[in-house]
Structures are given as C-alpha cells and as structure tokens.
Amino acid sequence: MILLGIETSCDETSAAVVKDGRHVLSNVIASQIEIHQKYGGVVPEIASRKHVEAIGCIVEEALFEADIKKEQIDGICVTYGPGLVGALLVGLSYGKALSFALKKPLIGVHHIEAHICANYLETEGEEPIKPPYICLVVSGGHTSLVLCQEYGKYKLLGQTKDDACGEAYDKVARALGLPYPGGPIIDKIAKEGDEKAIVFPQALINDGSFDFSFSGLKSAVLNTLNKAKMQGIELNKSDVAASFQKALIDVLEAKTKLACQKYNINRVALAGGVSSNSALRSRISNMCQKNGYTFKVPPTYFCTDNAAMVCACGYIMFEKGHRDGLFLNAVPNCPINID
Ligand code: KG4
Ligand code: ZN
C-alpha cells in the first residue's frame, strides 16, 4: 500500500511517500528555520505563508523521488493537529484537494501520534518496536509519557504542566545568546561543559506522578544568567548548558523508569524533536540496558518534524478502516487519540 504524507504543523513543509507504513520511498523536508531565526522563534503568520509557497513543489518532489505517480497512491495522510492553526490549514487544505481530485481516501493524523509512529519506520538493521511499550514524547510543543498498549491505542500517563522540553531548550539557548532552534546547539556545547557546575531545580522528580514541569528550571537558568551579569561574572556557556541539560534529563529518565516499573513494561521508545538529543539518547539507552529493557529511538532525521512519520501513523489508521471526509478541520490543541 502506497501512502502520501503531508506535514505542515509548524515550520517544516514536508511530504513523503511510504510503502506499507514502513518503507520510506521519499521524505522531502523544506525547513523555514533560517527565516524564523532572526525573530528568535517561529512567527506563525510567516510560517503559514511559507507553507503556501512550498507545499506544491514539495509534494511533487516527494512523488518524483519515490518514482510514484499520483494515481498510484492508495491514500493521503495529513497532519490535522496539534500545531499552529494557519500552518496546519495549508497542509490540510492541500491534502483535501488532492483527495477530492484523485478520489483517494483522506486520513487525518495527530502530530504527536505521528512522532511516536516514527519508531515503526524501517531503519537499517533494526526491528521496529512492538507494543506494549512506554514512549517518552519530547518535542518543541509537547512533553508526555505515553503507554502504547497496541498499534494506535494509547494511554496518556502524564504530561508537562507548563513548558515543553524543546521550549525550555529554545528559551535557555536564547538567554545564552544562541540562535533558534536552541536544542541542537545546547546538545553540542554541553559536551564540553561540566554538568555538575551548577545545580538547577528538578521539579516533580520524586512526586510519583508522570507529569513534568520545566518552567521553574528555565527560570532558574535565566535568573542565574541575570545574576551573574549584574555581578559582572562571565559564566561558561557550556557549563550552563550541561547543568541545565542534566537537570532536565534526570527528570525524564526517572519518570520513564518509574512508568516501566509501575506498568510492568520492558520496552521503551523515544519520540519528538528533542529525542535527537545525544545525551538523552545515551542516558535512556543506558537506563534500559541496566534494567534489561528493549530501547528504540528513531534516527535523528525521523525525530524532528517530517511527513514519513505521518504516513507510518496513517497506515495503522488506514488498516483499521479509519477514513476522514472533506469536513476534517485543523485543530491547534487536541489530546492524543485514546481508544
Ligand atoms: O518535534 P519537533 O521537530 O517539532 C515540534 O513538534 O515541536 O521539535 C522541535 C524541538 C525544538 O524545540 C528543538 O530545539 C528541539 O526539538 N531539538 C532538540 C535537538 N534537536 C531538536 N533539543 C535538544 N537536542 C537536540 N539535539
Ligand atoms: Zn513535532
């Protein structure tokens, strides 16, 4: 089965062609990062306009690269939410128009579910993870712990009460004078820093819940930087980055381990843009190794926003008989689909 995927929830215009939900024939991504960089974050109105400019070419390129004609597609999977409403509407409208013109089924995909399903895409020498497993979803807009009970069936165990992980990375990076998006740069400079240099707070680490809170950590980093500035002290950016990252990853690791213990699950997956973080990948991988758990994380190019993951998710829905009509709307905030 050949599915075409479309993703425009934030600042990446992406289209992909995927066979049988796993084999990626093409995955084309046009990033707007350079445009948003000068504003220090994503400007929603600009994002929508850039999606409009790019979407047609990106879909054509994905079909060309996959060597697939429009008529050969069995269905169109498109992200309907959560995300920036104006950005979502571009991909969704394009997907609906294609579905109507080609008379092919439309499948609306939840962006966070798609991130989770990136773990089913084919990667060399690795088996896709099989449910049940615990998935730690860490992206720019979301942070949650999810129990994947079976394909397409989820139980939300907990989520952030304030900032998402990626948001904390981006805001801390900005305070350090580093460009957007901050995650990859903090990841890089933290490698040269001392993670014990500064002790930052770790909210809710031992409260037994699966909820997170990162706004206190972010504020503590900003306060430390401001205080040092006022005192004329120059802090080592790598030390700040490493200490911030340690505080954050300690919490993520503790809660993931607790979820495995509580639900008696021995498989763990990571998903979302922040799961491309090298320190997080190695910490969760080590934790799994120590406890005899299976560990899965998508390759970094499938962690950040892309349309291949939208196809992986849409395939499961398609196989279950899910179809959407032309009345499907963009939903900026929507909880993960819980059966
Ligand atoms: O999943 P994603 O591409 O978009 C959303 O759905 O939000 O995630 C983007 C987020 C950004 O906040 C970015 O800073 C973060 O992922 N990110 C990282 C890394 N690469 C991307 N955070 C930490 N370390 C990285 N290597
Ligand atoms: Zn995302």
Side-chain angles (χ1 to χ4, degrees):
M1 179 191 296
I2 306 277
L3 294 175
L4 170 73
I6 298 176
E7 156 66 41
T8 62
S9 68
C10 192
D11 58 346
E12 258 101 26
T13 317
S14 180
V17 180
V18 176
K19 192 170 172 231
D20 299 333
R22 284 199 46 151
H23 309 291
V24 182
L25 305 182
S26 66
N27 186 34
V28 181
I29 304 170
S31 175
Q32 305 174 0
I33 279 178
E34 280 172 24
I35 301 154
H36 297 287
Q37 246 166 9
K38 59 174 175 269
Y39 304 101
V42 178
V43 183
E45 184 52 37
I46 297 177
S48 316
R49 275 189 257 146
K50 292 291 158 192
H51 284 312
V52 172
E53 283 168 25
I55 187 80
C57 296
I58 295 300
V59 168
E60 289 302 326
E61 204 177 320
L63 290 165
F64 179 79
E65 258 190 37
D67 198 15
I68 290 287
K69 303 223 171 354
K70 284 193 184 90
E71 296 67 34
Q72 292 173 269
I73 299 166
D74 295 298
I76 296 149
C77 313
V78 57
T79 306
Y80 71 92
L84 302 170
V85 69
L88 288 164
L89 277 169
V90 178
L92 184 57
S93 308
Y94 201 90
K96 281 193 212 176
L98 266 185
S99 158
F100 182 73
L102 300 170
K103 298 187 180 59
K104 303 284 181 182
L106 178 77
I107 301 118
V109 170
H110 188 284
H111 183 74
I112 300 303
E113 271 188 63
H115 271 302
I116 295 172
C117 295
N119 282 293
Y120 305 140
L121 292 169
E122 189 178 44
T123 44
E124 218 175 295
E126 271 188 47
E127 284 297 304
I129 193 161
K130 289 192 181 71
Y133 62 91
I134 297 289
C135 189
L136 173 66
V137 188
V138 277
S139 76
H142 295 84
T143 300
S144 35
L145 258 175
V146 175
L147 167 59
C148 298
Q149 294 156 309
E150 49 189 76
Y151 292 109
K153 190 174 175 201
Y154 310 94
K155 183 179 169 69
L156 180 65
L157 307 181
Q159 60 190 330
T160 183
K161 290 170 175 289
D162 39 57
D163 289 359
C165 255
E167 200 180 340
Y169 266 97
D170 294 338
K171 287 177 178 168
V172 164
R174 196 175 175 167
L176 283 168
L178 304 169
Y180 171 85
I185 305 159
I186 293 201
D187 187 357
K188 193 169 163 224
I189 67 168
K191 290 193 175 106
E192 283 114 47
D194 174 9
E195 62 173 27
K196 296 199 179 97
I198 308 162
V199 178
F200 287 124
Q202 299 179 311
L204 312 182
I205 190 164
N206 289 320
D207 75 339
S209 82
F210 299 111
D211 288 331
F212 304 90
S213 168
F214 297 114
S215 74
L217 168 61
K218 172 200 67 190
S219 301
V221 178
L222 302 199
N223 289 342
T224 303
L225 293 173
N226 285 338
K227 208 168 144 193
K229 198 174 166 192
M230 282 190 320
Q231 292 171 342
I233 301 167
E234 196 165 332
L235 292 174
N236 179 313
K237 285 186 187 182
S238 296
D239 286 351
V240 177
S243 303
F244 155 73
Q245 197 169 257
K246 182 201 181 311
L248 186 132
I249 295 176
D250 280 355
V251 179
L252 296 177
E253 183 189 337
K255 302 246 171 190
T256 307
K257 188 174 162 190
L258 186 68
C260 291
Q261 289 166 343
K262 178 158 177 199
Y263 292 93
N264 200 20
I265 302 285
N266 61 4
R267 294 185 199 127
V268 175
L270 295 181
V274 183
S275 64
S276 41
N277 182 273
S278 57
L280 177 64
R281 291 164 90 94
S282 84
R283 283 281 297 277
I284 303 289
S285 166
N286 288 343
M287 182 277 283
C288 288
Q289 214 173 1
K290 268 189 215 145
N291 290 279
Y293 303 157
T294 304
F295 174 63
K296 180 87 175 86
V297 61
T300 52
Y301 49 86
F302 287 146
C303 287
T304 42
D305 291 350
N306 68 87
M309 69 184 194
V310 176
C311 291
C313 185
Y315 175 77
I316 293 166
M317 299 168 74
F318 193 98
E319 289 287 278
K320 286 187 170 186
H322 181 104
R323 303 288 185 272
D324 283 296
L326 297 180
F327 290 104
L328 179 68
N329 210 348
V331 188
N333 283 308
C334 46
I336 195 161
N337 174 25
I338 302 163
D339 279 5

